[in-house]
Amino acid sequence: MPGRLQDKAALITGAGSGIGLESSILFAQEGANVLLVDVNLPAAEKVQKLIADRFPNVKSAAFKADVGKEEDVKAAVDKAVELFGRLDFNNAGIMHPADDNALNTEEKIWDLTHTINVKGVWWGCKYAILAMRNNPVDEAKGLHTGGSIINTASFVAIMGAATPQLAYTASKGAVLAMTRELAMVHAREGIRFNSICPGPLKTPLLMDFLNTPEKRDRRLVHLPMGRFGEAVEVAKGALFLASDDSSYMTGTDFKVDGGLTSAY
Ligand code: NAD
């Protein structure tokens, strides 16, 4: 049986760890050719080897790029188009961990966080749009075949975080706002944009931030399911948004958060 992403191509940023790693494996399992982009090339190469072993019918490659540099993002999209002929999916997702609040956050931390989290997403969208415009249009659906862009935001873009992470929170709010506008501007071109809002996950990004059992326990109290999420649970949400199963969805803030944003 063909997979849910059969013959599609996916460019996944942050593919060397966490959500990006799990999405890369899941997308390949569902038949997509995948370009695994990460600033940490050895991490992306490790994922590529795993995919090549498990899914020999899928094309995969690792690519070094810093999403905080426009020329790197363009080079990554060009590479995906060169390798796979077309590009169907772009997922930008990174975080600069910093203990920052309004009183003591440093401008350089603010700027770095926004360069990677906001400009990185903008550039990812920009070059993906240009590439997707070359995808054939499915006349029946009025959609560029496979034109789905997913931007990773966060639950902190919706809720106030009690742990100081102001620059990060502000950057994730920008991802939501930007994604909604892009969804409206490009809806008639058949390119869909959705944000995915993960709750707290058991990945290096959060576990390095909540680096003591006390800090983790304090956060766990607020989680309706009483546990941190797994990266693969977010990857499954991303798979839905990438596939044609979500063909009438654009501009959403898709929450995979164990109920956190509905909690009192
Ligand atoms: P992770 O730290 O496990 O993985 C992030 C990956 O991104 C790493 O492989 C890293 O090398 C790569 N990366 C970092 N900076 C980069 C850059 N400039 N260019 C290219 N690649 C870069 O993180 P994760 O938990 O999988 O997070 C992925 C996304 O999900 C992030 O945007 C994060 O803000 C968001 N998110 C995570 C959580 C959580 O609890 N983990 C919650 C909400 C949102």
Side-chain angles (χ1 to χ4, degrees), residues 98-187:
D99 189 13
D100 61 328
N101 63 45
L103 302 185
N104 69 7
T105 201
E106 292 173 52
E107 196 173 350
K108 66 173 196 271
I109 295 295
W110 182 279
D111 288 346
L112 180 63
T113 305
H114 280 70
T115 297
I116 294 175
N117 287 7
V118 184
K119 284 193 193 167
V121 170
W122 162 41
W123 290 324
C125 293
K126 174 178 170 180
Y127 292 104
I129 291 164
L130 292 170
M132 284 174 183
R133 281 183 171 163
N134 296 325
N135 283 357
V137 174
D138 178 334
E139 297 297 344
K141 292 184 185 153
L143 295 176
H144 276 282
T145 43
S148 170
I149 297 181
I150 302 164
N151 296 325
T152 307
S154 170
F155 68 99
V156 300
I158 299 167
M159 304 183 80
T163 43
Q165 45 188 65
L166 193 69
Y168 178 73
T169 298
S171 75
K172 292 302 184 177
V175 170
L176 283 193
M178 185 164 54
T179 305
R180 282 190 213 108
E181 177 169 318
L182 287 166
M184 298 306 104
V185 171
H186 297 281

Side-chain angles (χ1 to χ4, degrees), residues 14-20 37-40 65-68 93-95 116 152-155 168 172 198-201 203-206:
S17 175
I19 298 170
V37 176
D38 208 293
V39 73
N40 180 347
D66 177 348
V67 301
I94 40 81
M95 178 197 191
I116 294 175
T152 307
S154 170
F155 68 99
Y168 178 73
K172 292 302 184 177
L201 307 178
T203 67
L205 179 138
L206 187 67

